[in-house]
Each structure stands twice: as structure tokens, then as C-alpha cells.
Amino acid sequence: MPEPNMKGCKVMDKAALNHNDCRNFIPIDVAKGICNVHQKEILTDGQICPKFDAMPKCKHCANFTEPDEKLIGRCLGFGDNYWTFGELKAAVCEHFRGK
Amino acid sequence: MAKKLVDILEEKGMSLNLQYGGNTPAGLAEREIKKEPHPRAKKLRELYFNALSSVSVEFPYWYTRKYQELEHEIPVVRRAAALKHAFSHITPVIWPGEKLVGGKAAYYRGSFPMPWLSEGFFMAKEDELYQAALSKGGASADEVSKFGAGGGNVTQSFGNVVSIAGKFGIRAEEVPALLKLARTWAGKSVDDLGHKYEQMVPEYSVKEQVMRSVICMFDSGYTLPQGREVINYYYPLQYGYDGLIAMAKERKARVAGRADGDGLIGMDRLYFYESVILVLEGIQAWHLNYAQEARRLASACSDPVQKAEYEEIAECMEWIAHKQPRTFREALQMVYMIHIAVLNEDAISGLSPGRIGQVLYPWFEQDIAAGRTTEEEVLELLECYRVKMTCIDCFASMGVVGGVLSGNTFNNVSLGGLTRDGRSAANRLEMLILEAGMKCETTQPTLSVLYDEKLPEDFLLKAIECNKTGTGYPAWINNRGAMEFLMKQYGPEGMTLEDARAVAIGGCLETSPCIWLELTLNGKKYWVPGGAGQPTSVGVHFIANPKVLELVLFNGFDHRTGEQVLPPHNKKLETYEELWETFKEYYELVVDCLVKTNNIQHDIWRKQNMAVFNSLLKPDCLDKGQHIGNLGYRYNATFNIESCGQINMVNSLAALKKLVYDEKKYTLEDMREAVLNNFGFKTAAEAGSFSLAAQEKRDDADTRFDEIHSDCLKAPKYGNDDPYADSILQEYEEWFCAMCRKFESLYGRPMYSCQISVSTHGAQGAVTLASPDGRLAGTTYADASMSAYPGTDRNGPYALFESACCWDHSQSQNSQMNLKIHPNAVRGISGSRKLLELTRAYLRRGGFHIQYNIVDSNVLKDAQQNPDKYRDLMVRVAGFTQYWVEIGKPIQDEVIARTEYEGV
């Protein structure tokens, strides 16, 4: 079984990732979505596959610092250094800097 | 085994008469009209059926971040900048097969909390913020409100999904951020800041008790501060966003530093125009993010058809981000995005597109004439639009979303009515809107026909055909009655007859002020109608009339909560007149404290949380340079006082008048004792049903209250053309409509009466003891405001109409009548004509509104037992249609119990 492509992931533990971390995942709701590669409905909390393509999220961003145990940390991307959380999607964030 | 009321009555030779005009045939009757959606719409609708109500915190996160950063900015600019930041950063998602794109959040049925309005109710029940909300009384309605267990409602947590407010699911990993956001707003939200100041109202303690006893369902100032209004799409459709930004910049330069004679708010124009520019830039970025996402998907797509569709989406979004739409598709996509943008700006239910078939007609007409599209393509788009609108969820507390809205959001499309110069306004596009509503049966948008004698017969019969699908839409509205109401209410603000003809329905059935604006497309001019007034979801909502009467009987004491709600009146109530006078005094006391406290809530809202995007859409904010809070809208006298359960109240007054005061068969004390003992029956909760017929005797041997209960049930009832009961309704209406006008909104305008129940008749029935009309404790009230209590209309629909029209409906923003008709009663073309004549008969008598559930009650009973077989079953609840499985049991029971007409 080929390994998932972890490019773009700051979090390298693939067990900590689910389909919601993948750019190919089109969420329907909080429990499931559609895999745009395989064109089928899948549960969010499933194991990622070799076609994995990291979704820009704060937890994958170089500007994300000081995460606590709940993955709430600080964002250095904007001038305000405000708090943010690792799961926040950053696909349209102008300051996202992937690894 | 405990005996049921229906069996007890049967033994006595009394019937609750849940059918009229025959008996329900055995078996399950199919609906006569059944059509299939376009395959694309069908697939997207299946996706909806399979989707859970889901919330994300993206929008509130980005909003809060910018808001915090701009602590020292002018409030309207601060809010606009926060909105821009949020719109610019929410993740665009495009689902496979979509032609129309966009959404409130990155889920198919997505929504999000707005903690800047209220943050306490969605915390865990043990949390201090939740407890604080409960102690204010604001969360009391949550405790008695119920959601349906099926459909997309996330009633319980599972796996990595956490249930909020009994309806919405959130990913567990987002919960810490949600709680952090909520705490950021603690003490600063409209709810909290309003609470600080409302406590300065001398009658505040009464208000707190009123909320705890659920005499009032909710504070409108921070739960749903806008809505039940008609949106206006004109300005972006006419000028495009680039044009509007240019206009705002030019006007900003013109007013900067000038008061122009207005020393109070003249200078505010500068800040408003600045905020308009900011918000529009955010809206543009939001559109362009979708375009970018469509391009990304297109680049990764190998299917040429799907790839081309993604590219078309990108081109459409790129164009309408800047310019006036060129085609019907672009115009439809634009109005959908405008709609969602307003809903993302504030917590809103009842944002109605208005007469969208007339607004979009210019593009339809020109595209068809030029061969750019076909009616089949337009129909497909209209069906897709239905699915997108159905996906709209409104995030609010359980009491509001469950107890009031039944999960619905009331996006009402009005059809028909008159043109500016008084001709029929029905058009070919509206016929297609009706057809789309029949082919793609979904709850949104619901439809309303503005019935006027000038409307053509083929259009009316098409609407009747739509009724026969059993979807519950269109509702039928008395166009002339609505215009009459508008002229009375908005005449002092300059409403003309021409503009009264632009009327449309906001929310379920709130008559809303609109105006005509001239639209130019490719050099051709069209007058299009659109909203021009403040929301009508504002004011006092909803007062439980039977509960007020209960307090009159018990000297202001609520036996359910064990609290003294209103100051004791200490009257002996020796005459009916004294009883009636005391009822009015108590009612006005309740209204008075709620008006004052809600005015404060709304005042905080307009100062801290004013609409910017919705403001700029409506006349005359862009011209005046003032937002809604500074009376930028053309019409501002929209605050209302809403009642609930008035038919049970009328029937109870009739029973008291006859049995206690006229015949003197019982004393008031006898009646009190019977009511307190629930006439010897179990409570509705104990019986597991909320309809009267299914109630069970507590102890078969206890016959103490049997006679008085029989007499109460036999007492005169509304809905039978019986002057004894109807004169009470008439007296009530004359007092109520005039009483509402004595109160003044924060905008210094007179309030008015609004008579719809939405779903509050379930929650408010649940908190009410038995009533003197024979209704039992905890059971749901009669629905609407003109519907008879189930089983009590014994003389047929025309007698019901006579009762309902014993007063002048144009004194009120609305009234509401629901009828349930067996499908067999209106089969075939002759059945359609009978239904149209029935409709006409009511509206010609002066009834404001009538709508139909054309459904076999046996089907509803089967659906209650086997919900999995009925995911797509829809019923008309109040002024809206909802999926059966998403409705709470109290309302399901009430819909089943409604009198079913086997013949009309």
C-alpha cells in the first residue's frame, strides 16, 4: 500500500489526520463528505489514502505557533498575533505558508 | 388501561368530529399530483436528505478576530470591517453537480453561531454562561421545545460530533474554539449588554417572570434581530458591486465633514459609506473565492462535462463579483448570493425573496427572446435554486429554532399581485416557479399567491394544482387586504397606492412594505418590486393568550412554575365584564414590560450590531447615507406584537361566560378546581401525546370532573358561525389591534398586531394548564390564529369562514387560516375548481390568508409510526412547510388532529 503524500503537512503523524485534512474531501456535513478523487461518499473520520493532498489549515501553517493540548495556538501571519486553532481551514488565507 | 378522551366522548354520544363531510376512507390515499424533479436537482436534493445540520466556527472566528483588533473604531465601521474579514476568509465549497453555488458555511446544511448576539445558550448545560441565560428566563422556552428526532437534526452527540441546542452538529475538534469565542463575547454580546440595561426598566422583574413562565417565547432583540421581511436585490442587479462601490466612494467624498442641517446624525453618513465600501469588498472577495475554487476543481477534473460546468461557475462568479448580471443564470446566482450574504450578516429567519419572478423577469424575457436559454433550462435552475434555499439553516437556541421555527427559515416567494399601474403582475416566469415547486418538492422557498381578482384563471389553476401536490404551498393572501393594511400602517410615512401594490410577504405571512424601482437591462426599462421596510420579526413575540387567561383565573400565579408571575389582581371576577377587563389589564401589563425591555435590546443591537449589507440593499439607505438603525429605510413602523392560542382563549372565554356567568351552572371556583386537576386527566407529557383526543384519564374511578369537562367541551366554540363565540372574537380583535397601536417601538413608531403562531402553539401549549374550553394540560393550542381548535368546527368550511371574518382583518399585519383536506375531496379538474372557489369564498369575505394541507391523516399517522419511510414527506405547519421528520411531536400531533375535510 503506497504511503500518503504528506507534502504540505506540518503535522506528520498520519494517524492524527482524517479526510477533513485533505484537499480532495468535499464535506457534506460534520460526519461525512465526498472524495473528489474516488467520487464516492466517505466518513470524515476515516483513514487517509495515498491520494491525500493536504488541506491548508492553521496546524499546517508555518505561522502557527504555541499550540496547546487542544491545538489552540497563536497566528503570526497577521499583525495582530491573535489566537487561532489548528483545525481552522486556511484555503483562502492570504498569510498561509505551508511547510 | 387508561381510557382515552376520544373513547369517553364516544360512550357519551359526543364526538370530537375530527372529520367533516364524510369519513376518512380506509387505507392510505395518494396525492393526486406527483411530479419528478430534474435529475440534477433530484441528486442535489438527495444530498440534502442525507445531510446533517452542521455548524462551523470559521465565520465567527474571522469576524471576532477583526472586531477585537479594531477596538477603538467607530461601531459601524468596526462591524463592517469584521464582516469583510469573515466573508473574505470562509472556505468556499462546491458540491458535485451544482450549477448554483454558495452557502452559509462550508457544509451542505451549514450555519454558524453569532456569539456577538448571544453566547450563553449553546454552552453545555452545566456551564455558567448557560446557567446565566436560564436565570434570565431567556432559556426557559428551550426547556419545553422539541425537535423532530429525524431528518438532519443532530439531537445527540456521536463519535467526533457534538450536538448543540439539540439540532446542530459540530466537529469535536472545533468545540474548544467555539467556547473560546463564546467567552470572548461574554458581557459584550447584544444579549448581555441589553440585559444590563433592560434591568433598569422598573417592570423588569415582571418581564423575567413572564419569560420563565413562557408567556412570551423569546426576546427578539438578540435572537433573531432581523427577518420576516422582504429583501431587495435591486441595487446590485442594477449597478453591480463595482458600481455600488463607486457610488459609495463618490457619496463619501460628498458628505465627509458635512452635517447638511442634521446636527445629530448628519455626520454619520461618512461612516456609513465607508462601511458600505468595506462590506462590498468582502462580498466581492467571497464571490471570487468561489471562482478560484471552481477553477481549481476544473483543473483537476477529467470529465469534460463537469469540467466545463466548473468553468462556467468560475466565469459567472468572476463576472457578478463586479458587474450587472448579463443572463438569467447570472442574475439568479447573484440574488442567491445576496440572500446568503444577508443571512450571514445577522441571525435571521424569514428573509423573503419577495416577488422574485417579477424581479428576475427582465433577464428571463431577454434570454428567451435572444435564444440564450430555454424554459427547460430555466426550470432546471429554478429547481436547483429550491434545493439551495432548502439548505439554509438558522442557528439559534432550541427555544427559537425548535419551539418557534420548527427548523424552518421561511424564505417566502410571493407570486401574482398587481403591477405598479394596477394590472395583473403574474408572468410566465412565475408559472415556471410554480412548476419548479411541484417538480422539486422542497420546503424552501415557500410560495404565496397574492390573490387579486385581476389574476388570470390559468395562473390561479396552476397554483391550485401546486396545492394538490400536498406540499402546503402556495399560501393564498388577500392582496387588497394587504394593501389596505399597508396604507393604514405606512401612510404616515408616505406610502402611496402605487407602492402598496408592490406588497410582498416577508417570513411566513407578514405583510411587508415594498416599493418599485426602475431597472434597466440592455436599454429596456422595467419596474421591479422589492423590500423597503425594517424587519417585522421584531417586537413582542409571542404572547400565550390562554396562559394570560390562566393567570387571570389564578390571581397572577403560575401553578406550573409555582411562581407569582403578575401582581395579584385580588378581584372576585364576579361578572364576565370584570373577567374580560382583568384579562385586558394583565395582557397590557405583559406587553408593556416586554415592549420596554425589547426596545432596549433592539437599541443595543442598532448601536452595536446594525445591518450594513442589508441596509445598503434597501431604499433609501444609500441615498440618505444612513443604516437601518438611523432610520435609513423608507418604512420604519414595522415592530409588532404577536399573539398565540387566541382561539383557545376565545373558546375559554365563551365557556366561562356561558357556564359560570350566564347559566351559573358552575362557580368560578368549580372551574379553577377542574382546571387545576386537569379535569381528571393525565398531563400530555404523561400520556405521551399532545393532541386532545389522545389524552388519558388519570383514574377511571374519579368522575368528579366528568360533567364539567363535558359541559366545557359542549360550550359554544369558534368556527361554527355561532354569534355567541364569534362576538367574543370580534370584541377581542377590536381591542387587541387597537391596543397594539398604543405601544411605541424604539423608532418612535406605533406597533401593530401580528397573528400567526408559527410553532409556538406547541411549546406554549406545553406550559399551559387545562383551559375552560375543555383543552387539557400541556396539549398543543389550536394552530394559526383563525383555524378552529381540532374537532370543534362542526358546520363545515363556510361556517368557519363566517366566524373568521367577523372582524376586519386589515387592522392586523395578518391573520392565518389552515385547512386540512383529504386528497379525494379535490380530485380532478372539478376538484381544482372547487378548491379555487373555496379559496375565493374566504378571501372575498375579507379573510387575509388561507392555506391547505391536502393530505390523508392516515398517511401522517403512518409517518409518525414509520418515520424512516417518509424522509421526503412535507406538511404545512403554520405559514411554512416542513419535513415531517424534522417537526417535534407536539406539532405532529396537532397536525394529525386538525379537522380533516372529506368534502369541500
Side-chain angles (χ1 to χ4, degrees):
Chain A
M1 179 89 170
E3 281 295 299
N5 172 13
M6 304 293 282
K7 192 177 170 204
C9 286
K10 194 176 175 187
V11 178
M12 293 303 291
D13 178 7
K14 70 175 184 185
L17 300 172
N18 62 34
H19 292 300
N20 207 21
D21 290 302
C22 178
R23 202 81 166 94
N24 297 316
F25 182 69
I26 304 171
I28 296 171
D29 58 31
V30 282
K32 61 187 173 295
I34 298 163
C35 172
N36 200 33
V37 173
H38 299 103
Q39 291 294 313
K40 63 176 186 181
E41 198 175 300
I42 52 174
L43 293 175
T44 307
D45 290 305
Q47 236 183 7
I48 59 173
C49 78
K51 297 283 187 186
F52 178 81
D53 178 9
M55 176 72 171
K57 282 187 171 183
C58 287
K59 69 183 177 185
H60 303 315
C61 177
N63 286 318
F64 183 56
T65 62
E66 305 168 33
D68 64 12
E69 72 284 358
K70 290 173 180 166
L71 220 54
I72 288 181
R74 206 148 284 283
C75 167
L76 304 179
F78 296 75
D80 58 354
N81 288 359
Y82 199 66
W83 68 270
T84 188
F85 58 106
E87 292 298 332
L88 183 66
K89 288 182 179 170
V92 291
C93 177
E94 61 274 38
H95 294 296
F96 178 80
R97 283 198 294 128
K99 193 176 160 238
Chain B
M1 190 173 158
K3 272 191 173 173
K4 290 199 169 166
L5 176 65
V6 69
D7 301 322
I8 295 166
L9 294 176
E10 210 58 57
E11 283 172 15
K12 291 182 178 177
M14 290 171 64
S15 169
L16 266 176
N17 194 32
L18 296 171
Q19 293 97 36
Y20 175 83
N23 292 318
T24 310
L28 305 180
E30 284 287 318
R31 295 166 181 193
E32 183 187 356
I33 309 284
K34 208 155 181 63
K35 298 189 176 189
E36 273 294 297
H38 185 281
R40 180 191 301 276
K42 188 173 184 177
K43 196 173 160 195
L44 291 167
R45 194 178 62 168
E46 283 300 320
L47 197 59
Y48 169 83
F49 285 148
N50 198 22
L52 300 171
S53 276
S54 301
V55 302
S56 90
V57 298
E58 273 191 339
F59 197 100
Y61 170 77
W62 290 107
Y63 180 95
T64 302
R65 182 171 183 167
K66 182 56 81 176
Y67 198 85
Q68 295 272 94
E69 184 191 328
L70 300 179
E71 194 179 349
H72 304 294
E73 185 52 275
I74 303 254
V76 66
V77 178
R78 186 181 185 188
R79 179 155 159 75
L83 287 166
K84 177 183 175 180
H85 209 51
F87 276 111
S88 306
H89 288 102
I90 50 176
T91 307
V93 179
I94 297 171
W95 287 275
E98 285 197 311
K99 271 195 169 178
L100 293 176
V101 301
K104 283 180 64 110
Y107 294 116
Y108 204 57
R109 276 185 84 171
S111 61
F112 55 85
M114 296 186 181
W116 45 92
L117 284 172
S118 180
E119 81 295 341
F121 68 86
F122 55 80
M123 309 298 285
K125 292 209 169 188
E126 64 276 8
D127 189 275
E128 61 187 281
L129 288 179
Y130 181 84
Q131 290 302 320
L134 199 63
S135 73
K136 282 187 268 180
S140 299
D142 296 7
E143 305 292 307
V144 293
S145 298
K146 294 183 191 310
F147 279 116
N153 293 341
V154 183
T155 53
Q156 289 183 324
S157 301
F158 62 92
N160 285 325
V161 175
V162 176
S163 168
I164 314 177
K167 174 178 171 68
F168 306 96
I170 185 170
R171 295 285 305 171
E173 55 267 27
E174 286 199 40
V175 170
L178 173 64
L179 299 181
K180 198 168 169 66
L181 285 167
R183 293 193 180 285
T184 303
W185 288 96
K188 301 175 189 134
S189 65
V190 176
D191 180 0
D192 289 353
L193 203 53
H195 183 57
K196 175 182 165 185
Y197 287 99
E198 71 174 350
Q199 291 178 83
M200 297 174 191
V201 172
E203 299 83 6
Y204 175 74
S205 61
V206 176
K207 186 251 181 172
E208 200 172 74
Q209 291 291 347
V210 162
M211 300 307 290
R212 273 214 280 270
S213 67
V214 198
I215 290 171
C216 174
M217 270 308 272
F218 65 97
D219 285 311
S220 62
Y222 60 86
T223 43
L224 299 168
Q226 295 188 83
R228 294 170 189 259
E229 63 187 285
V230 179
I231 196 170
N232 199 319
Y233 303 119
Y234 169 80
Y235 290 99
L237 284 173
Q238 174 65 56
Y239 299 102
Y241 292 120
D242 281 355
L244 291 177
I245 289 173
M247 186 190 294
K249 283 182 176 171
E250 184 267 318
R251 289 179 185 183
K252 190 174 84 168
R254 200 193 304 164
V255 302
R258 291 175 179 273
D260 285 333
D262 185 345
L264 197 59
I265 57 171
M267 295 295 287
D268 285 359
R269 295 173 299 169
L270 171 66
Y271 317 126
F272 176 66
Y273 287 128
E274 174 66 2
S275 69
V276 165
I277 295 162
L278 287 169
V279 164
L280 291 178
E281 286 171 349
I283 299 289
Q284 286 185 312
W286 182 49
H287 281 70
L288 293 172
N289 286 341
Y290 275 98
Q292 192 181 17
E293 174 65 0
R295 296 256 180 241
R296 185 187 75 84
L297 289 167
S299 69
C301 185
S302 54
D303 174 359
V305 175
Q306 179 66 72
K307 190 183 182 76
E309 287 190 0
Y310 285 139
E311 281 165 355
E312 281 171 19
I313 290 167
E315 278 168 31
C316 173
M317 298 305 274
E318 282 159 359
W319 183 268
I320 64 171
H322 297 283
K323 306 288 184 197
Q324 181 188 46
R326 298 162 294 187
T327 62
F328 177 79
R329 176 178 173 172
E330 286 177 356
L332 187 63
Q333 176 70 70
M334 181 182 242
V335 298
Y336 171 72
M337 292 296 275
I338 294 169
H339 207 85
I340 296 299
V342 173
L343 293 173
N344 276 10
E345 183 180 46
D346 213 353
I348 296 178
S349 83
L351 184 68
S352 291
R355 291 157 72 165
I356 198 173
Q358 293 162 32
V359 174
L360 294 180
Y361 187 74
W363 287 270
F364 170 77
E365 182 192 62
Q366 294 193 14
D367 276 8
I368 293 285
R372 279 191 293 269
T373 192
T374 63
E375 289 202 351
E376 288 69 31
E377 283 172 356
V378 169
L379 194 55
E380 179 192 354
L381 283 169
L382 290 171
E383 290 181 42
C384 291
Y385 172 73
R386 291 201 64 83
V387 179
K388 291 299 277 181
M389 295 295 277
T390 299
C391 288
I392 295 171
D393 260 351
C394 173
F395 186 95
S397 68
M398 179 183 266
V400 171
V401 182
V404 180
L405 313 181
S406 270
N408 201 282
T409 52
F410 319 131
N411 303 276
N412 198 340
V413 164
S414 295
L415 305 164
L418 296 175
T419 59
R420 188 167 174 263
D421 54 0
R423 292 171 291 116
S424 162
N427 65 36
R428 180 66 194 159
L429 182 55
E430 292 188 329
M431 294 287 266
L432 295 181
I433 289 172
L434 283 165
E435 182 68 13
M438 285 189 274
K439 287 186 71 198
C440 187
E441 295 178 1
T442 55
T443 54
Q444 299 290 331
T446 192
L447 305 175
S448 293
V449 170
L450 301 169
Y451 176 81
D452 197 281
E453 295 289 333
K454 291 192 173 181
L455 293 180
E457 202 73 357
D458 62 338
F459 175 77
L460 295 172
L461 284 169
K462 181 83 177 172
I464 287 288
E465 188 190 2
C466 188
N467 279 142
K468 286 168 68 171
T469 59
T471 55
Y473 54 73
W476 295 81
I477 307 292
N478 187 330
N479 192 49
R480 302 281 170 148
M483 287 165 54
E484 207 175 312
F485 166 77
L486 289 180
M487 292 298 284
K488 279 182 199 164
Q489 184 66 19
Y490 302 103
E493 292 187 83
M495 172 74 75
T496 62
L497 177 64
E498 275 185 352
D499 280 342
R501 288 179 182 142
V503 62
I505 300 300
C508 299
L509 42 104
E510 283 86 342
T511 310
S512 296
C514 302
I515 66 164
W516 304 95
L517 289 164
E518 194 176 46
L519 186 137
T520 308
L521 183 65
N522 299 318
K524 187 170 178 184
K525 294 183 184 306
Y526 303 82
W527 286 102
V528 295
Q534 294 235 2
T536 76
S537 65
V538 285
V540 175
H541 298 186
F542 292 72
I543 299 185
N545 288 17
K547 189 77 187 170
V548 176
L549 182 59
E550 180 189 307
L551 292 186
V552 172
L553 293 178
F554 293 101
N555 209 18
F557 186 79
D558 184 351
H559 283 271
R560 184 185 73 94
T561 59
E563 293 184 17
Q564 186 71 36
V565 176
L566 299 178
H569 55 70
N570 295 326
K571 292 178 185 171
K572 291 184 177 168
L573 308 176
E574 286 176 329
T575 62
Y576 176 77
E577 288 69 30
E578 191 181 19
L579 176 85
W580 172 235
E581 287 304 315
T582 309
F583 174 83
K584 291 191 289 186
E585 285 166 18
Y586 261 12
Y587 209 104
E588 292 193 34
L589 194 62
V590 168
V591 172
D592 182 54
C593 71
L594 290 169
V595 167
K596 287 175 183 165
T597 52
N598 271 282
N599 273 349
I600 289 173
Q601 299 275 2
H602 282 285
D603 196 42
I604 299 296
W605 174 84
R606 75 161 157 172
K607 289 179 166 70
Q608 304 282 81
N609 202 71
M610 69 292 283
V612 180
F613 188 58
N614 202 14
S615 286
L616 76 90
L617 294 175
K618 285 194 186 179
D620 302 304
C621 290
L622 280 176
D623 292 333
K624 292 181 187 170
Q626 302 291 356
H627 58 73
I628 174 175
N630 282 353
L631 300 179
Y633 288 164
R634 178 83 56 97
Y635 301 111
N636 297 285
T638 62
F639 281 58
N640 55 31
I641 297 166
E642 292 187 342
S643 58
C644 176
Q646 69 185 42
I647 293 307
N648 289 100
M649 175 213 71
V650 165
N651 288 344
S652 294
L653 286 170
L656 288 165
K657 187 170 193 284
K658 184 170 180 64
L659 299 173
V660 176
Y661 296 105
D662 288 356
E663 295 178 354
K664 297 184 172 49
K665 184 171 181 183
Y666 303 101
T667 66
L668 207 52
E669 201 45 48
D670 293 334
M671 194 63 82
R672 287 192 187 104
E673 194 187 354
V675 164
L676 274 179
N677 283 281
N678 197 26
F679 296 105
F681 282 75
K682 296 177 182 175
T683 65
E686 286 166 348
S689 172
F690 299 87
S691 76
L692 183 65
Q695 297 308 299
E696 295 173 356
K697 269 305 274 288
R698 195 164 50 230
D699 175 0
D700 288 347
D702 184 0
T703 56
R704 283 179 300 157
F705 305 104
D706 286 7
E707 188 178 351
I708 190 171
H709 194 215
S710 292
D711 286 336
C712 286
L713 289 169
K714 281 191 285 190
K717 296 282 186 284
Y718 160 85
N720 295 290
D721 192 17
D722 177 351
Y724 196 95
D726 296 350
S727 62
I728 291 173
L729 171 66
Q730 190 180 10
E731 187 173 17
Y732 162 78
E733 291 288 0
E734 280 170 10
W735 163 75
F736 182 69
C737 295
M739 182 272 295
C740 294
R741 290 182 193 279
K742 290 197 302 193
F743 290 92
E744 186 184 74
S745 76
L746 71 155
Y747 294 114
R749 303 287 197 277
M751 297 174 80
Y752 55 79
S753 116
C754 174
Q755 303 185 22
I756 56 173
S757 65
V758 197
S759 302
T760 58
H761 55 304
Q764 295 195 307
V767 299
T768 306
L769 302 178
S771 39
D773 57 344
R775 182 195 138 272
L776 295 171
T779 57
T780 305
Y781 298 156
D783 66 282
S785 60
M786 291 292 100
S787 305
Y789 187 61
T792 62
D793 41 340
R794 299 184 169 94
N795 296 333
Y798 291 93
L800 176 61
F801 294 172
E802 288 297 334
S803 291
C805 297
C806 71
W807 64 286
D808 175 8
H809 290 212
S810 72
Q811 294 179 84
S812 176
Q813 183 187 22
N814 47 31
S815 66
Q816 185 176 18
M817 167 80 83
N818 292 324
L819 277 191
K820 190 167 75 178
I821 299 175
H822 193 280
N824 290 353
V826 289
R827 281 205 192 277
I829 186 65
S830 63
S832 296
R833 291 206 174 276
K834 273 198 281 185
L835 189 57
L836 181 54
E837 286 313 308
L838 186 78
T839 308
R840 279 187 165 130
Y842 184 59
L843 299 177
R844 281 173 176 165
R845 274 173 172 80
F848 172 76
H849 155 275
I850 189 165
Q851 64 191 13
Y852 305 104
N853 261 314
I854 298 180
V855 63
D856 179 357
S857 296
N858 290 332
V859 170
L860 301 181
K861 288 173 193 162
D862 191 49
Q864 205 171 40
Q865 297 303 315
N866 305 291
D868 294 343
K869 283 166 51 187
Y870 291 92
R871 177 62 185 90
D872 59 349
L873 175 66
M874 303 193 301
V875 290
R876 196 71 173 177
V877 177
F880 63 96
T881 292
Q882 182 56 300
Y883 290 106
W884 178 258
V885 292
E886 298 204 4
I887 300 169
K889 191 162 187 304
I891 301 298
Q892 285 187 349
D893 287 343
E894 179 270 308
V895 175
I896 289 173
R898 287 178 194 172
T899 304
E900 179 177 283
Y901 285 85
E902 311 299 333
V904 293

